[in-house]
Amino acid sequence: MVLRADNVVKTFALRGKQKGTVTAVDGVSIEVRSGETLGIVGESGCGKSTFGQCLTRLIDLTSGTVEFEGEDISSLSRRRLRPVRRRLQMVFQDPYSSLNPRMRVADIVAEPLRIHRTTDRRAIPDRVADLLERVGFDPSMAGRYPHEFSGGQRQRIGIARALALNPSVLVADEPVSALDVSVQAQVLNLLADLQDEFGLTYVFIAHDLGVVEHVSDRVAVMYLGDLVELADAEELYASPAHHYTEALLSAIPQIDRDGAPRRERIVLSGDVPSPANRPSGCPFHPRCPAATEICRKERPTLRTLGSRQVACHHPLPVPTTRVVTPTGQSQSVR
Amino acid sequence: MERPAGPWRVALTQIAHNPVAVVSGVLLVAIIALCLAAPLYAQYIAHTNPFESNLNGYTMVAGERVAVLQQSTTGLKLGVEPIGPTWNLSGYFLGADGQGRDVFARLLYGGRTTLLIGFTSAILCCAAGALVGIVAGYFGGPIDWVLSRLMDIVWAFPVYLLAISLSVVLLTDGLRIGPIVIGPGNLMLPIGIIALIYVPYVARPLRGQVLSLKNREFVKASIGLGAGDWRILRREILRNVLPTVIVFIPLMAALNMLTESALSFLSIGVQPPTASWGTIINDGLDLLYTRPAVALAPGILLVLTAVALNLFGDAVRDALDPKAKLRGAA
Amino acid sequence: MPSSTRGCAVPDITESGIAGPDTTADAVASSPLLAVRDLRVAFRTRAGVVNAVNGLSFSVAPGEVLGIVGESGSGKSVSMYSMMGLLDNPNATITGSARFDGAELIGMPTKRLNRIRGNRISMIFQDPMTALTPVYTVGWQIVEQIMNHEKVTKAEAWSRAVHLLDEVGIPDAERRARSYPHEFSGGMRQRVMIAMSLACHPSLLIADEPTTALDVTTQRQILELIGDLQAKYGSSVILITHDMGVISEAADRVIVMYAGRAVEMGDESTVVRRPRHPYTWGLLGAIPKPGQRKQRLPTIPGLPPGPRDQPTGCPFQKRCRFAMEQCSTLPPLIATGEEQNHLDACWLPDEVREELREEVA
Amino acid sequence: MMYVAKRLGSAVLVMFAISVVVFLIFFATPGVDPAARIAGRGASPEVLSQVRHEFGFDQPLPVRYVLMMSHLFITQDLTSYVNIGDRVVPQIMQAAPVTLSLVLGAAIIWIAFGLGGGILATRFRGTVVDPIIMIVGITAISLPAYWVGEVVNLVTQDRLHDTVFSWVPPLGYVPFTQDPGQWALHLLFPWLTLALLYGGIYARVLRAELVNALSEDYVRTCRAKGLSERRILWRHALRGSLSPVVSLFGLDFGSLVGGAALLTEVVFGLPGIGKLTWDSLQNLDLPVIMACVLYAAFFVVAANAVVDLLYAVIDPRVRRA
Amino acid sequence: SSTTTDAADASDGAHQGGTLHLAAQSAGGTLDPQVNYTLQYWQLYQGAYDGLLTYARVGGTKSEDIVPDLATAMPTISPDGKTYTFELRKDIKFSNGKTLTTDDVVASFRRLFKVSSPNAGSWYNVIVGADACLKTPATCTLNGGIVADSSAGTITFHLTQSDPEFEAQLAMPFASVLPADTAPKDAGTTPIPTTGPYYFASYSPNKALVMKRNRYFHSWSKEAAPVGYPDEIDETFGLTAEAEVTAVENGQSDWMYDTPPSDRLSEISTKYASQVHVTPLTAMWYLALNTNIAPFNNESARQAINWAVDRAAIVKLYGGSSLAAPACTILPPDFPGHKDFCDYTKGGGSTWSAPDLTKAKQLVQQSGTAGQSVGVVVQNDSVNKGIGLYLVSLLNQLGYKATIKPLSNNIQYNYIQNTKNHVQLSLTQWYQDYPAASDFLQVLLSCSSFHPNSDSSINIAGYCNRDLDAKMTAADAKGLTDQTAANAQWGDIDQQYMALSPLVPLFNPKLIDFTSSRVKNYQFSDQYYMLVDQLWLK
Ligand SMILES: Nc1ncnc2c1ncn2[C@@H]1O[C@H](COP(=O)(O)OP(=O)(O)OP(=O)(O)O)[C@@H](O)[C@H]1O
Ligand SMILES: Nc1ncnc2c1ncn2[C@@H]1O[C@H](COP(=O)(O)OP(=O)(O)OP(=O)(O)O)[C@@H](O)[C@H]1O
Ligand SMILES: [Mg+2]
Ligand SMILES: [Mg+2]
């Protein structure tokens, strides 16, 4: 267990004329095991990115704690965070806005090395060339500016930057969402290779359930700032316990390959409510086909159901046989 | 290996391919060159010192020796008239002013001052505006509040009022900041005043830009890498607002030149004997009805320069930061 | 889409046949609603000419759903815009022909085009957040469209607008018609767009990535909605997407585009199940498959050709594992296999294709 | 409510700060001892100290500041230091209509020209009309107003006064209530001069906005709906582009009404706020300067607030739910 | 060409009527005659306020004569010159209908102190009790200083010492007699009732001043209180001088207060020659050299300037020889005490002919001040600035490092007076208050006019010469008995001051009055300039 979030809450004050706050993440607890890939899925605005930024301390938490390699980093100052940053890196969603358009690629990749002075000044160009090669570039590209690269290439530059300091954990916020399938596959393969090579731990945030299924060992499903289900990927995709997870899975458009079974479709009514005015009780109840009175009133807590955890008053039945994943035993999570 | 084109080079190529930019640029360069050549003209062609009163001087017009200032000989013989344009480059091309000085030579010298003030104050103003905008936008909180209110104050202070108030004080006794004494005739005063009054024009949009930059992922990434504020400001923020700052410069230079001339028109800008187009216009207004050329010529040059600067500035904007929202002249 | 729709649409297509650039077009039994022939769009830019669409030909039969799939920049949107006269870029050159119900759309004067646009052909766009004028209520905007094409009173148009909004599933339509676009969520706005596009009962609806910007659950809602309405009004639909899954679920027929060209065209089931073009293989292969966790994904090496470096010959040759000498000449889009309406543009011999495809997957 | 209070608070703060700045600037200026000027030339020291005492100039600065403010705002009987006994508030009241007349008329003209130019340039984008309009606009922006004013005066009052412009009345102002025709005639050239600059600015701003708007997605939707270009331009693009123009207009109008048309007023001899301000600055007449500056600042601040409100009217996105 | 017509008979109604429109760039400040110290309003007060004495309201040289006004005759003066007795005219009414009494006279003189009249401390402090009044004006009584006998209708002034200029000072507008109940504070814009032919009907400094006929007025003296011709006189404010010229040309205004701008001079002097009246003034433009700081604490340096300044060039800048005459003396020509001499002209002589630069340079060298910097402080209007620029050129030529500092017209005068501002050389003007040599020499150069660190220190040169001070006091005393001898003394004093060179007289200006074509009967008084109310409109 390298990274552990305990009851993380993040609220934003609304700016301008409107008053009030948005609770983007509402008490999420999660443990990330060393060497695994933890997928986080959920619809737009459910707080995935915010949570990812809480994990990497890009933003301050409203409450709760984040522990990294046993150290509580949730209230460290920016200066004290610097050593942590070397081990805990982030890859961003938008390949267009995550690279400074006014810096050359070499500088972008060298930036972490310069900040942390881990590498001798003269050795930096070599290290940069190394990194670029590792993510599939000819080092001669180092003098170019980001605008000369395609989205996939940029994403790889972002990965090279994140890798520069040899981190142990990489939080990837929708690293492939902006990419075309052919390029997406390249990036996913690269991430897999790097994990194999360096034993990286990934927190992989995405809204494409297919991609998440493909890369993750365990998957967390978020809805309106809440963690609603957390399970081994295979188990979750095979038999979701939360109604929201079920609907989400059924909504994936599927290619009718020969012999592939189709999921039963569940068309949810209505939109995801705004986190600024969360429904009372279970946040999913207004759209839930199985909602009852209690769902309106009482907010379900995350409880363990077999090898998984789910926050639902009326969870779907799941097979009792536990699937043991290679990466570890089930752990109890508060 | 071919050197890849950076964003600056791309912009430069774009400007070079914009005919309006090229024409206005050439015009600007021509005007600047002409003004820089002022001493050459005064010394070697017109043989005149345009800063010395020449009340009893004579000059040759069409082979005849005539007084530069002529006592009126008609009617009640009231008034003294300077000679009008000779249209002869070797002296008094545009005639003389009330002090008997060569207007054309003064025009060239005046251009130097006006351009100097325009550009220096534009650069100063942009630098100060950038500093304020960046600091306010980046640090936010109380720093932002204080800086924003300061900008509000300068903004709500009507431009000319502020300039006039400052000028009245500063031009009387100059400025003393500790050991530094800036005399009342020093050009730094109008430069500083003009730069100051337009700081909010630059600071406000830049602050907005920094606010949105702050949310861009590459800034987040930099924080994530452990970069300190100073590094982020320098490498991430400044580099990205720099194009906008640069876009401001020619446009502010045009605006500032016009402001300088307006202040000089109110005789609180450039102080004599230094000439600027504004002061020459001001001098010329006393001769407007008899020798309109004295006031018209600097005005026309001023307009030409401002037009060229504005056109060029537009081209720079199109090349560097097409979304920059700039207000025209005040 | 409900299977009933699919059921009645499929027979039509088998009859209608497909026209490639080389097949004499009008071997089509029932005349197509839209017939596009050799459409080309080029942009003159400072960096040179960009050929965004390179001889695209296809047709749409009445009542069918044609899916166009391709990676970003493959010319999907530009081809549609050029047909609809929506390319106001003065540097764009459009050639070729696009006959809609017998009328030539390319080069049609705007006045005449305006009688077709929004009336007989309507269009919805990718980003519902920006596609509506922010300063008018949605009802007003629908009324505007109706009154632009039909002589009705304002009150009539208004009640129709409310009805339409109701039909696309906007609750409390009467009140919501008076709301401004920013007061709707993305999915709701896309519903409004659909309501607007259906206002004049168009015979063709062009949906340019209508769900890309939406969440999965919302995407599902919108796709269902388009399906239902298409069934109800019997319009033809061109559905543009880059999501094979969407195509697979919603389209009757599919065009796979690459670098401004159609590289494969045919019935949805055949194209998805038995793709013939190596690009399509790569495209399908790159999508993570359920149950194949953590396996390396087959990828297409390299990148799509940039808009400026258009290769002569087959545009895919540089990325194609099976490229051969012949690929330096442009392959025609023809039926090479046994199915007559399954066309592709590749020089690979029919015999080896099956084998190679297995190899890739 | 909170919001309104906050705005009001910051407005008061800004005005307070400005008044303090003016006050300090004034007393930092050498040669302005108001007592000496009130006493008259050659006044003996006794007389001088008498005057100083009588006018309270011997009090500490903060007290004098408070006194001045209370005279200005509470008893409203603050009087000029130069024209003793001349109350400041009525002076402002007298000057305001002149400035308002000038600015209103000019605004109508510049709005007409600005909007017309902007729309025309957009409409004929790609033809020579567009660059011509824009160059005219840029030239208008680059013209120093006072210089134009002087040249206009030279031409209309002197050079061509006996021929073409014999109908042009002398400089100065005639109240509307006295003779509407003369009012307009006297203001005609000031209007045009002032409108020139702003017309240029507005044409440019509007064109930029319109061109921007025309590349928006919603315009594509409009085209797809089959709307005519004219309708798209007028009903859709223009409507959205108007808000920046309106906000600009609000701010400009505010500052002009506050006296920013100083140069025009001085050149054309219009006894408006700008002229009053200029005269008072020339005379270093602190009470009048103070009143003028606060008056101007008030309009700038007020214009800011009004613009915010207008924004909400024009742009429903800003409206509160 | 100044048209001097004989004063028309007041009873001649043929020329009465009409409204006279005057124009001025700006208003002249308070309307209170006991406070206002501007020629602009003094000129208008002539048709409105009266004192016990006045300068004859006629054109020509007789205008320098003091004549009885509200007094029936000139005062009887005691032999020691310390007591002046006046007899007040009867049946004079204020414009508010009240009859003038001796109480009004006494109250007016008390009020003079209560409102801190500018010269209360320098002119009227000779009255017994004035010192107390200056200290605590609120309780001013002038007990023993001014005694009224209401039954006899006499007023007696008791002075602390004899004063040859007391009569002149009584003839000034400060000594106007106002109703006794006039509030003892600066009246500002509120008009005070008058005794003369007109009263002030309204005054708004940003708009206009309006004078209307005083229906209680009847002329008691053709010289002191002639009947005015126009029914109404208004002066509008706000036009620029340029616009004023245009307005007069077009007949929209009848007269402009300000000097026509130089670029309009040729136009008016040719096209409108008959409407232009040029008259020499008893006034002087001069440079004040600060004798207390370098370089002009050095006498040679000061003399160098006097030698070097090209008066002809400066006259050109003022508008040419028709508008000004070079000056060599402090007292203007035709002024009491004026002596014809010119000690600083090339080749000598009693009139100025040319500067002597060689001599000047030599003196500068001799003084050892060469290379020092000199600031020239001038007003920032075009004429003053022009002269300033010329001076800078000249000073540079002499070996100084000169800079010009143009200041707003309203600051400059106070600025150059204050020693705190360390002004070295300034350009300024002095226009006579009344025709007496002391009004120039004593005011501008006596030790008592010098107040360090004050904005009000009219001895701008800061020059204090006890010796000459004593001579001036003596000349003053002489004036009581023998004006001619006194004048001769004054002329010598003038020359002695010039030798010491604290001031550099530049020129004596002339005044241009530009009137509209309908205006007739232009008369010029040396004291108060054009007689406004004597103009005919018909
Ligand atoms: N800086 C902020 N200020 C105010 N609200 C914010 C801020 N950042 C995020 N939010 C709000 O918090 C909620 C969660 O946002 P977040 O970006 O974490 O969602 P997400 O799951 O990453 O969505 P997406 O898939 O669109 O990236 C959203 O409603 C968002 O509007
Ligand atoms: N105005 C233009 N000028 C130059 N090139 C253009 C222009 N518009 C589009 N293109 C080019 O045309 C090509 C096709 O663009 P198009 O928008 O049709 O792609 P698309 O298939 O719709 O992609 P996406 O999935 O991203 O919407 C792209 O390479 C694009 O760069
Ligand atoms: Mg996110
Ligand atoms: Mg597209």
Side-chain angles (χ1 to χ4, degrees), chain E residues 389-451:
Chain E
L389 284 170
Y390 160 75
L391 290 170
V392 167
S393 289
L394 180 72
L395 287 165
N396 286 336
Q397 244 178 310
L398 290 180
Y400 294 110
K401 289 201 217 81
T403 49
I404 187 172
K405 185 154 153 183
L407 296 182
S408 156
N409 293 11
N410 298 278
I411 317 183
Q412 194 254 4
Y413 195 60
N414 288 322
Y415 184 86
I416 59 178
Q417 293 182 44
N418 199 326
T419 50
K420 270 193 269 187
N421 298 326
H422 307 289
V423 176
Q424 293 158 298
L425 189 154
S426 50
L427 169 65
T428 186
Q429 307 89 35
W430 185 251
Y431 286 63
Q432 66 148 71
D433 292 308
Y434 48 83
S438 66
D439 189 38
F440 276 76
L441 291 169
Q442 227 163 14
V443 169
L444 298 181
L445 289 164
S446 73
C447 298
S448 59
S449 309
F450 177 50
H451 308 288

Side-chain angles (χ1 to χ4, degrees), chain A residues 28-175:
Chain A
V28 174
S29 302
I30 244 176
E31 291 185 353
V32 184
R33 300 165 193 165
S34 183
E36 76 165 343
T37 301
L38 174 73
I40 301 181
V41 287
E43 287 180 286
S44 185
C46 71
K48 305 183 296 289
S49 302
T50 308
F51 182 61
Q53 294 181 15
C54 287
L55 283 181
T56 48
R57 276 303 315 284
L58 283 180
I59 50 178
D60 294 330
L61 313 192
T62 306
S63 71
T65 54
V66 175
E67 274 174 34
F68 176 67
E69 291 176 346
E71 183 188 6
D72 181 359
I73 61 165
S74 42
S75 50
L76 292 185
S77 68
R78 265 174 77 178
R79 180 183 301 272
R80 301 273 306 282
L81 269 172
R82 284 180 86 185
V84 175
R85 299 247 183 259
R86 290 171 52 182
R87 316 271 304 132
L88 177 61
Q89 277 297 321
M90 188 138 182
V91 176
F92 293 91
Q93 166 173 11
D94 184 351
Y96 294 90
S97 104
S98 61
L99 304 181
N100 186 342
R102 304 228 158 231
M103 271 204 222
R104 291 173 192 276
V105 166
D107 289 328
I108 291 173
V109 177
E111 192 75 0
L113 302 174
R114 296 199 177 120
I115 293 172
H116 290 275
R117 302 206 179 86
T118 50
T119 314
D120 184 58
R121 204 162 262 285
R122 275 155 300 168
I124 287 179
D126 287 342
R127 173 87 176 117
V128 168
D130 221 37
L131 284 163
L132 286 177
E133 236 165 327
R134 189 63 205 81
V135 295
F137 284 106
D138 187 321
S140 68
M141 308 269 234
R144 303 201 171 185
Y145 285 90
H147 71 89
E148 296 169 80
F149 292 91
S150 71
Q153 288 174 322
R154 285 161 181 245
Q155 207 55 297
R156 299 209 304 254
I157 296 168
I159 293 171
R161 172 175 61 187
L163 287 179
L165 295 168
N166 293 322
S168 60
V169 177
L170 209 56
V171 177
D173 185 3
E174 313 214 17

Side-chain angles (χ1 to χ4, degrees), chain C residues 193-206:
Chain C
M193 280 300 292
I194 292 172
M196 196 156 81
S197 65
L198 294 178
C200 299
H201 308 296
S203 25
L204 177 63
L205 172 67
I206 302 176

